[in-house]
Amino acid sequence: MFKIINREEMAQGTIVLNEIEAPRIARKAKPGQFVILQANETGERIPLTMADVDPEKGTITIIYMIVGKSTTLFGKMKVGDEYFAVIGPLGKATHIEKKGKVVCVGGGTGIAVLHPITRGLKEAGNEVITILGSRNKDLLILEEKMAKVSDTLYICTDDGSRGHHGFVTDILKDVLAKEDIRLVVAIGPVPMMKFVSKITKEKGVETLVSLNPIMVDGTGMCGGCRVSVGGKTKFACVDGPEFDGHEVDYDELSKRLQAYQADEKLSLEQCRQSL
Amino acid sequence: MVETKVKKEQTPRAKMPEQAPEVRKRNFMEVPLGLTPEMAQAEASRCLQCKSPACVEGCPVSVNIPGFINKIAQGDFEGAAITIWERNALPAVCGRVCPQEIQCEGRCILGKKGSSVAIGYLERFVADYAREKGTVELPKIAPKTGKRVAVIGSGPSGLTVAGDLIVKGHDITIFEAFHQPGGVLVYGIPEFRLPKAIVGSEVSTLAKMGVNIETNSVVGATVTIDELFQEGYDAVYVGVGAGLPRFMNLPGENLIGVFSANEYLTRTNLMKAYRFPEYDTPVARGKNVVVLGAGNVAMDAARTAMRLGAESVKVVYRRSRAEMPARAEELHHAEQEGIEFVLLTNPVQFFGDDKGRLCGMECLKMELGEPDASGRRRPVAIAGSEYRIECDLVVVSVGAQPNPLLTNATPAISLNRWGNIVAHPVTGKTTKKGVWAGGDIVTGMATVILAMGAGREAANSIHDYLTIGW
């Protein structure tokens, strides 16, 4: 069960793609939904939004950046190795409909999550303008795939090594000024989603964001993933992971993501020493 | 005859050997150590062997209590185990977590004048003996019927249904959302009250009997009930528990350091965070811990916090001692371990630092007013009595609601206004043909044994359906 049948390294090995056998999940999964993965019996349960599914082959694809112990363990697994547990599909699927002109904004590994949603929006007949951001050109992922499902594609890098030298929000502002945009989907680091939402709120443009807080079960049982949306507490695992970007309390989310910072550091250090 | 009766009443009830409070409050090993064979036999010989035993009436699964106790008294411990297994597939669990004082032991005639027979201790003794010996024969399986039953959830009610129906010759598959079977027995009840190896052993007994267990399967998401029928299942039992934590909607509740009991206990028990970093999942280790609520789960959380190294653990409860819903034994164990009960006190809000971490909470003193709908005197706030408790970890343990994940995906199953499944009070039949339900998803949060009782009734009804019809 949950065998890795394809593995690719991206962004100079800092980001890894795994295609995993999970026929039941692949049959049901829709864009925007996530799975919870556990590398081995002592491992932590990690939520990741799926980057792709192939119902015929019975596989799902995840793309993750190696940041802590769990993603280090994931990254060490080879083709043929098996995940101890994969659970899903969890969360609500993205509501995809024809809106007109839409903007898809992606940052970091958020681009992987954004890809199936962008493809869905394009297939639904929308004109898709995509804006991708990364720290530098080497860390940018899925550019070709995103180009295929977009009518217009902008690239931004923090260091100017590729495309616009600056943030995705610079381009977004220009696009919003020139075009009649009906929907913005923003998926990436919390500050990116926060600033995108700030800009679109001023313009009154509907905005969807996908959140990835700390979770345990992913089925609504623990409440660890609670986020404040419009002043109300929501569970990202069952009420989300997508929410109205204008209503999310990003500062609270950023803080809650730091809850186990000291433990995570200790865990990663021990893991590196043992490797 | 008269002489023996007097003697039985005079023999004192067995006292369970326990780890000393000062030692056990810092480890996760089981608190009660179990009776020795000699102690068990002496205790068993106290039983009056009543002709119409009230204890059996008090047992939700009608274990033949005088029967197994008589076998213990005679030294036939294996026979005692077989007698229990006829009615109860999980005796090692029930001997530990059943509220015997309001069930079997609460009805014991000896208890009217002195102290009742320690039925729970004896059940545990027999189950542990049989497990450690490992030679007791499994129950016989009836010839295969060719009928397939899907059991959703591997908690106490699901395991009971699986155990009852496999012996009747049906093919059983249990679907469990987590990576490990056992439900609340593994994620909720702590190691020091119910060692996970024991749950694992009871589950593996079922597996040996032929029950198929599919973990990592969230029915409602990974597969729906209708798809299970399409896959050829003839009947479905829903025993998914009460898996949606209740919060209090107080200001500051989303600060880092405020947890649901579900999360705190799941991290610690299922994910083994008490062994971090050997296990990867962390859990917050508070210095000054407050647990809100006073049920069994609250006691589990408070005692867990103490074992994770807390300097102080307070249970904050808005009513008085008499209304605390936890079992007397749990309250007693908690107090022995240094847990402080702060009664007639209600939380108002939580305070955090600039990093969003909890640093204290505001409480109000309460007094008891007129009785409310539940018959308990309602706590009323005393105006101006606000005060602050310093704390860096709060565990909210004020109950759980039904988790809507499965029921939302299955509209043909009717729910009541609280989201619980409407099921026939005896058979457990739901409004969807071929689907039964039982345990906390029907009743709201209750006990392990009540869930098992519901599973027993549903299993009988499912068997009738598979052999006679709906």
Side-chain angles (χ1 to χ4, degrees), chain B residues 284-399:
Chain B
R285 291 169 188 252
K287 272 203 181 100
N288 298 298
V289 180
V290 168
V291 175
L292 304 176
N296 290 325
V297 175
M299 295 308 124
D300 285 345
R303 298 173 69 196
T304 295
M306 187 58 90
R307 283 159 174 79
L308 288 171
E311 286 168 14
S312 80
V313 181
K314 294 181 172 72
V315 167
V316 170
Y317 181 49
R318 64 200 178 110
R319 299 180 195 253
S320 71
R321 170 97 193 199
E323 288 86 16
M324 293 177 95
R327 289 180 68 195
E329 185 185 328
E330 302 305 323
L331 297 173
H332 172 67
H333 275 148
E335 279 191 308
Q336 277 187 325
E337 290 166 12
I339 314 280
E340 187 188 335
F341 295 162
V342 181
L343 303 170
L344 290 165
T345 302
N346 210 21
V348 181
Q349 61 174 318
F350 304 101
F351 304 114
D353 64 16
D354 59 344
K355 294 202 162 119
R357 288 180 187 268
L358 176 77
C359 59
M361 64 186 283
E362 185 178 282
C363 292
L364 260 178
K365 297 265 192 202
M366 313 293 278
E367 59 190 353
L368 290 181
E370 295 299 308
D372 63 12
S374 72
R376 299 184 296 182
R377 290 179 65 191
R378 186 167 25 170
V380 184
I382 302 173
S385 67
E386 290 88 349
Y387 75 109
R388 185 174 163 131
I389 296 179
E390 299 305 318
C391 55
D392 55 355
L393 178 62
V394 163
V395 182
V396 182
S397 181
V398 295

Side-chain angles (χ1 to χ4, degrees), chain A:
Chain A
M1 277 291 256
F2 313 129
K3 191 194 284 182
I4 298 175
I5 62 155
N6 183 25
R7 180 186 183 280
E8 287 171 30
E9 289 188 1
M10 304 172 166
Q12 299 181 318
T14 58
I15 295 175
V16 176
L17 173 150
N18 283 164
E19 187 180 354
I20 305 164
E21 269 179 6
R24 273 205 197 268
I25 301 173
R27 221 181 309 162
K28 307 280 286 193
K30 298 208 165 55
Q33 290 189 298
F34 69 97
V35 287
I36 285 197
L37 304 101
Q38 210 178 328
N40 54 42
E41 210 172 340
T42 57
E44 191 172 7
R45 293 166 65 95
I46 301 298
L48 284 173
T49 303
M50 286 171 274
D52 211 349
V53 291
D54 187 333
E56 276 87 52
K57 241 166 111 187
T59 62
I60 62 164
T61 299
I62 51 160
I63 294 177
Y64 50 89
M65 185 180 287
I66 296 173
V67 286
K69 178 170 181 184
S70 296
T71 44
T72 301
L73 293 177
F74 291 1
K76 293 280 166 211
M77 289 163 58
K78 299 179 189 69
V79 171
D81 289 348
E82 290 181 6
Y83 277 86
F84 172 71
V86 181
I87 298 107
L90 301 170
K92 291 184 175 157
T94 310
H95 177 70
I96 289 175
E97 61 175 323
K98 185 169 177 184
K99 291 269 188 181
K101 277 187 189 171
V102 301
V103 178
C104 293
V105 187
T109 49
I111 296 168
V113 176
L114 189 63
H115 176 249
I117 297 167
T118 310
R119 185 173 57 197
L121 287 167
K122 175 80 182 152
E123 283 166 3
N126 292 287
E127 184 184 332
V128 179
I129 301 166
T130 296
I131 311 170
L132 304 180
S134 70
R135 286 212 304 277
N136 61 52
K137 67 176 169 42
D138 297 322
L139 297 179
L140 184 70
I141 61 167
L142 301 181
E143 185 186 338
E144 270 180 43
K145 279 190 152 186
M146 289 303 283
K148 268 188 203 157
V149 295
S150 309
D151 293 281
T152 318
L153 176 71
Y154 296 95
I155 307 285
C156 312
T157 50
D158 295 1
D159 68 351
S161 54
R162 186 80 212 287
H164 169 72
H165 185 172
F167 297 123
V168 290
T169 42
D170 305 337
I171 306 281
L172 178 65
K173 274 184 202 161
D174 286 351
V175 172
L176 290 176
K178 283 185 221 149
E179 310 269 0
D180 176 25
I181 301 300
R182 313 311 297 246
L183 172 73
V184 172
V185 182
I187 306 178
V190 177
M192 186 206 95
M193 295 191 284
K194 175 181 171 177
F195 288 111
V196 165
S197 298
K198 199 169 166 234
I199 291 165
T200 58
K201 193 172 186 177
E202 284 161 11
K203 296 268 180 186
V205 180
E206 184 187 348
T207 301
L208 274 181
V209 294
S210 179
L211 308 183
N212 197 13
I214 296 169
M215 293 183 188
V216 181
D217 60 291
T219 62
M221 210 198 82
C222 82
C225 65
R226 53 199 196 278
V227 288
S228 294
V229 181
K232 290 203 174 93
T233 295
K234 299 279 180 188
F235 289 2
C237 65
V238 285
D239 300 321
E242 281 170 21
F243 292 101
D244 177 349
H246 299 159
E247 299 290 334
V248 172
D249 183 340
Y250 296 99
D251 296 339
E252 181 189 278
L253 174 64
S254 293
K255 286 174 182 166
R256 287 183 64 82
L257 283 165
Q258 305 298 314
Y260 297 98
Q261 204 176 22
D263 290 325
E264 285 162 0
K265 203 174 153 222
L266 172 77
S267 209
L268 181 61
E269 275 168 15
Q270 288 206 349
C271 173
R272 281 190 178 144
Q273 278 168 14
S274 70
L275 287 170

